[in-house]
Amino acid sequence: VKEIFSCEIKAIKRQGDFFLIRTGTGDFRAKSIIFATGLFASPKSGSDGSALPYIENFGHHIIDIVPALVPLQCRQSFFKMLAGIRAEAEVKLFVENAQIASDFGEVQMTAEGISGIPVFQVSRFAAKALVNGKKVCAEVDFFPEYDSLNELEEYLTGRMNRMRDRTIREALEGLLADKLIDTALKEIGLSSKKQAGDCTKQEVKVLAKYLKQFTCEIMSTRKFEQSQATAGGVSTQEICANTMESKLCPGLFFAGEVIDIDGMCGGYNLQWAWTSGYVAGTSAAKKARQSESGKGQK
């Protein structure tokens, strides 16, 4: 295998049975070529989308490209006060008021919104919806161990009664981070100095709903620099699944993130890159050998 580094592509054209690749260090000819260029995630690694115009020149269509496995930015200003909080919680994602995804794990609050593995898992759905101009919201359930809102209300009511001589804030200490307690009480208009025993049934209900359905209005994702993967890319309808060869241009192959396939956290995107690369590599070599063999027979 001959490796050539710092070789900027200038043009790629089909010339008869060959591909002509013009570069800053000379021209190359090949029977088969593989686009394994990535897209925009982690641009420091060289993924900058510069291959897309060449791919489109071969007639391929590019599905909307958006960041995936990425933090989400929210509209509410109180996130600046919550930055740094980590909590085991469930994240539910809603598009146009319909739930389309959810995940559980450690959620992280940032100055701009929400992050952490559960947020990453649902972020590609948020990004896809946002690029299509749809309304996107997330709900964070800080008490997923309680199956229903009524169960959480009952628990909080009992806690307030047991600690009736303390303030509401003191009654909540140990359950939630201090900054989250202060924000929750402020947002629902409940004084932190009020005695827990004086908390009404309606006030407990409002508090329980706020903590179990902590609503975040999603404005955008973070940029590609903060994303671990990219959603979108070359349409899978135009690629042979068994060989990774283009259905539009024989001898042209694809591998990895440049294709419209993205997975969850846990190594799935890496596995896709390795597997598709293996299939594309072996298929491209076989294609080239068949071409040479055919010429020899003639």
Side-chain angles (χ1 to χ4, degrees), residues 160-229:
M160 295 298 172
N161 288 333
R162 291 192 302 273
M163 306 178 72
R164 58 183 310 105
D165 294 330
R166 300 188 182 184
T167 65
I168 294 175
R169 190 187 191 287
E170 290 172 334
L172 293 174
E173 288 178 352
L175 290 179
L176 303 160
D178 289 347
K179 291 190 290 186
L180 182 55
I181 294 173
D182 293 335
T183 298
L185 295 178
K186 180 180 178 181
E187 288 295 311
I188 65 176
L190 196 56
S191 173
S192 61
K193 296 181 180 179
K194 185 173 184 176
Q195 293 296 106
D198 295 334
C199 200
T200 67
K201 183 177 180 180
Q202 181 60 26
E203 288 172 334
V204 172
K205 184 175 183 178
V206 171
L207 177 61
K209 184 176 181 181
Y210 186 86
L211 297 175
K212 195 159 181 65
Q213 299 174 356
F214 181 83
T215 303
C216 314
E217 185 177 350
I218 310 300
M219 295 190 303
S220 64
T221 67
R222 296 293 295 273
K223 296 181 179 180
F224 282 105
E225 285 80 1
Q226 285 80 45
S227 70
Q228 296 182 16

Side-chain angles (χ1 to χ4, degrees), residues 32-102:
S32 302
I33 60 173
I34 304 172
F35 279 102
T37 55
L39 283 173
F40 293 100
S42 188
K44 289 183 179 179
S45 67
S47 298
D48 59 4
S50 59
L52 293 177
Y54 306 121
I55 295 172
E56 289 177 311
N57 284 341
F58 286 108
H60 281 278
H61 295 87
I62 308 300
I63 307 301
D64 287 337
I65 296 173
V66 295
L69 304 186
V70 64
L72 298 176
Q73 294 183 296
C74 305
R75 185 176 299 280
Q76 293 93 332
S77 59
F78 56 65
F79 279 98
K80 293 180 180 179
M81 299 296 296
L82 299 178
I85 290 178
R86 296 170 179 259
E88 290 292 314
E90 181 181 13
V91 176
K92 300 176 182 179
L93 189 77
F94 295 82
V95 174
E96 299 293 344
N97 299 318
Q99 182 179 330
I100 63 168
S102 66

Side-chain angles (χ1 to χ4, degrees), residues 82-147:
L82 299 178
I85 290 178
R86 296 170 179 259
E88 290 292 314
E90 181 181 13
V91 176
K92 300 176 182 179
L93 189 77
F94 295 82
V95 174
E96 299 293 344
N97 299 318
Q99 182 179 330
I100 63 168
S102 66
D103 203 75
F104 172 82
E106 186 181 73
V107 176
Q108 301 172 22
M109 299 293 175
T110 71
E112 296 83 19
I114 52 177
S115 185
I117 299 299
V119 176
F120 287 1
Q121 305 288 48
V122 304
S123 62
R124 58 101 57 220
F125 301 103
K128 286 287 188 179
L130 288 168
V131 80
N132 289 308
K134 296 182 179 180
K135 178 183 177 182
V136 181
C137 291
E139 282 186 3
V140 181
D141 181 357
F142 290 106
F143 290 91
E145 63 271 29
Y146 294 95
D147 293 332

